[in-house]
Amino acid sequence: MEEGQGVHSSYYEYRNRTFDSTSTDYSDHTFLDRPIRAFVRERLPASAAPLRPISAGLSGLITTFTPLELFKPLPDLPTHPAAPIESTIPPKPTSTPASSAERIMASSLDHLTTRTRIEWLSGLNTEYHPAKNYRRTSIIGTIGPKTNSTENINILRKAGLNVVRMNFSHGSYEYHQSVVDHAKEAERVQPGRPLAVALDTVSGDLRALWTEANANLVFTLQKGPEIRTGNTVGDVDIPISQGTEINITTDEKYATKCDDKNMYVDYKNITKVIQAGRTIYVDDGVLAFEVLKVVDDKTLHCRCINNGKISSKKGVNLPKTDVDLPALSEKDKADLRFGVKNKVDMVFASFIRRAEDVKAIREVLGEEGKDIQIISKIENQQGVNNFDEILKETDGIMVARGDLGIEIPPAQVFIAQKMMISKCNIAGKPVICATQMLESMTYNPRPTRAEVSDVGNAVLDGADCVMLSGETAKGNYAKESVAMMHETCLLAEQAIPYVSHFDELRSIAPRPCDTIESCATAAVSSSLELNAGAILVLTTSGKSARLISKYRPVCPIIMVTRNARASRYSHLYRGVYPFLFPERKPDFNKENWQEDVDNRLKWGIEQAIKLNVLSRGDPVVCVQGWRGGMGHTNTIRIVPAEEDLGLATA
């Protein structure tokens, strides 16, 4: 290869080459992967350039490289990056790596043995099924008329549902109160992990109904700015043909008299923000109009692009047009107050366009709702353009692909999805992938292959949660939809090369980081090197669990907390199994604090064993604070999964 030709360094280029310590050009060595970096660093002179992971090269391949003559053949590099961490528990017998017939592997040792992504994927086995029923990705569902009962919610929970979601675009407050009450009763009568409820006032008639069904986390979805058409006379559907010219108007005299000549919309400033040549979509894009002319301050002259029907109160989208609607309507504020009163755990906020929209929601939630998590839905080009500032302000993101696929070209949606999910992963904030994931199962017992692949790819992209809508709200196969989602997520998670993912995230983490994140990375690293059965974290707010989740350990994260709300919203974090500790916090002036810590650790281990995500005797990496309260996480312990934590004397 000639000098100057582009090179993408990889594990394979280095695993059988020696490092020439007499060379002074180390430019290409900076693209070594983690195990090679550890091996080579010992042989580098002090003047060598800092070592960087392969992932650093993905943002820009180098155009010059060190001649390959600098490298000479040499034995294979070590596959384990560091010596085992010292602990009080005896090491488990080291098993040989899985055979080719078992190559979807679940242990940390197998992940450490096969470190590169391409190696991992090439060894996948379609017949493999994990021995433990450990699904990392949470499933959000919408509760509609067919599932709004204590019994039906618990059926969905048994199938794998983690979050209950309500749709506030439809139904009265009395109806939504019944959903909240049924969800709470379901949690009371059926033992299991905490169950939450979500309020969703998402815009758009059909899509709002689609997003109505999940059972294990309490959310509130906020409507956001929406534009709607008026009513036709008698609310009948009026056919309109392609090529028909029509006036789209804000004149109130047409608000209840829409026809194929004049169609009312309720956005008064539409004539000020749109231009000739732009497109207006109605009813999720079922009907489309080209703007021919801005007639006056109330009227647009348009041409119908396709055959369709003009109907009452349909949603309107203005792609590539920045609207100046307020982030919150009066109904939105009333919905949020309903959520605060019912102690919901999170808000799904629609059409978030800038960071100020998130701040406006926090202001309405007030002191009483300060702990409610705000999940910002990105549904238009404005939100995509301002994504970085939104991510800094929000607690999480939902990739709402329905409206987003109307606001931007459909072929660009998957690029936006990958970008947003990756940025959330880097920031350590939860991200939800939603809309039409198993839509065909609304009326069919089996999904399409494309839908299953869509769910699997969302998991591979890094989504913390996936969402069902109409499948569970109004579908004939709600239980089957949840079961299919569970099975797809469970298997898709086996295709992720967790160690290389951990290496990449740790290599680009900001330095210096805070104490809690440092403990999180150390805990994940320890779990890999120990082949731990679980990471058990004691937390008040859930922050420690969230940061451990950021680094995607192979093993489950068992979260034990006394904070009921945190135990519910922590379902948002990939791989976290939250448990609400039933005992009240003791008076540490009278009782020993460490004894309380050990009691919580023992209890958490027993819950994980009962759930069949941890085996007795497995090493457990425990993360705790040096004293009670939030923000004190700084200690890691290694204990066996035993009733006495290995502390019993001989």
Side-chain angles (χ1 to χ4, degrees), residues 251-269:
D251 192 332
E252 291 293 334
K253 71 181 182 181
Y254 296 107
T256 57
K257 298 179 181 179
C258 295
D259 56 25
D260 59 354
K261 297 180 176 58
N262 294 280
M263 184 175 70
Y264 173 84
V265 296
D266 59 8
Y267 178 35
K268 299 299 182 183
N269 283 351

Side-chain angles (χ1 to χ4, degrees), residues 108-303:
S108 297
L109 292 181
D110 285 321
H111 278 274
L112 286 166
T113 303
T114 311
R115 298 189 65 96
T116 66
R117 179 177 179 274
I118 195 69
E119 274 186 303
W120 185 264
L121 295 178
S122 68
L124 297 181
N125 173 17
T126 59
E127 296 182 358
Y128 173 83
H129 195 281
K132 293 180 180 178
N133 201 28
Y134 166 41
R135 170 171 50 83
R136 300 164 176 85
T137 310
S138 287
I139 299 173
I140 302 169
T142 308
I143 298 303
K146 289 194 174 183
T147 47
N148 184 21
S149 71
T150 298
E151 181 183 2
N152 285 330
I153 289 174
N154 275 334
I155 288 173
L156 297 181
R157 289 178 71 199
K158 287 181 180 179
L161 196 63
N162 301 111
V163 179
V164 165
R165 174 174 172 256
M166 298 182 294
N167 173 16
F168 264 49
S169 284
H170 299 276
S172 64
Y173 285 126
E174 290 75 19
Y175 171 80
H176 296 306
Q177 186 67 58
S178 72
V179 177
V180 173
D181 294 341
H182 287 147
K184 291 181 178 179
E185 180 65 10
E187 184 179 19
R188 188 188 68 81
V189 301
Q190 180 174 294
R193 289 181 294 150
L195 176 67
V197 179
L199 305 179
D200 183 350
T201 56
V202 65
S203 61
D205 293 347
L206 185 57
R207 179 157 301 112
L209 181 58
W210 283 347
T211 52
E212 244 180 81
N214 283 41
N216 201 275
L217 203 48
V218 180
F219 299 149
T220 303
L221 261 159
Q222 170 265 340
K223 185 191 283 186
E226 68 171 353
I227 306 169
R228 286 189 177 274
T229 63
N231 293 81
T232 60
V233 177
D235 289 331
V236 298
D237 294 339
I238 301 174
I240 185 170
S241 302
Q242 178 182 0
T244 301
E245 295 189 6
I246 185 175
N247 291 326
I248 294 180
T249 179
T250 61
D251 192 332
E252 291 293 334
K253 71 181 182 181
Y254 296 107
T256 57
K257 298 179 181 179
C258 295
D259 56 25
D260 59 354
K261 297 180 176 58
N262 294 280
M263 184 175 70
Y264 173 84
V265 296
D266 59 8
Y267 178 35
K268 299 299 182 183
N269 283 351
I270 189 170
T271 57
K272 297 181 175 65
V273 300
I274 204 165
Q275 302 172 6
R278 294 283 174 86
T279 303
I280 297 174
Y281 288 113
V282 178
D283 193 11
D284 291 336
V286 172
L287 202 55
F289 298 92
E290 178 189 359
V291 179
L292 301 177
K293 180 182 179 182
V294 180
V295 179
D296 53 38
D297 61 353
K298 290 185 178 181
T299 307
L300 301 171
H301 190 60
C302 305
R303 179 188 296 119

Side-chain angles (χ1 to χ4, degrees), residues 344-363:
V344 301
D345 301 303
M346 60 200 73
V347 172
F348 290 166
S350 294
F351 283 101
I352 295 297
R353 296 163 291 164
R354 49 188 179 269
E356 287 74 14
D357 297 346
V358 183
K359 294 177 182 178
I361 295 170
R362 290 198 193 281
E363 185 176 348

Side-chain angles (χ1 to χ4, degrees), residues 520-561:
T521 59
V524 176
S525 180
S526 298
S527 73
L528 293 172
E529 292 157 352
L530 289 165
N531 195 28
I535 298 173
L536 197 158
V537 55
L538 305 182
T539 180
T540 300
S541 66
K543 179 180 178 181
S544 298
R546 174 173 64 83
L547 290 174
I548 294 171
S549 170
K550 169 184 175 179
Y551 290 97
R552 300 297 195 252
V554 175
C555 63
I557 303 163
I558 309 303
M559 171 181 152
V560 177
T561 183

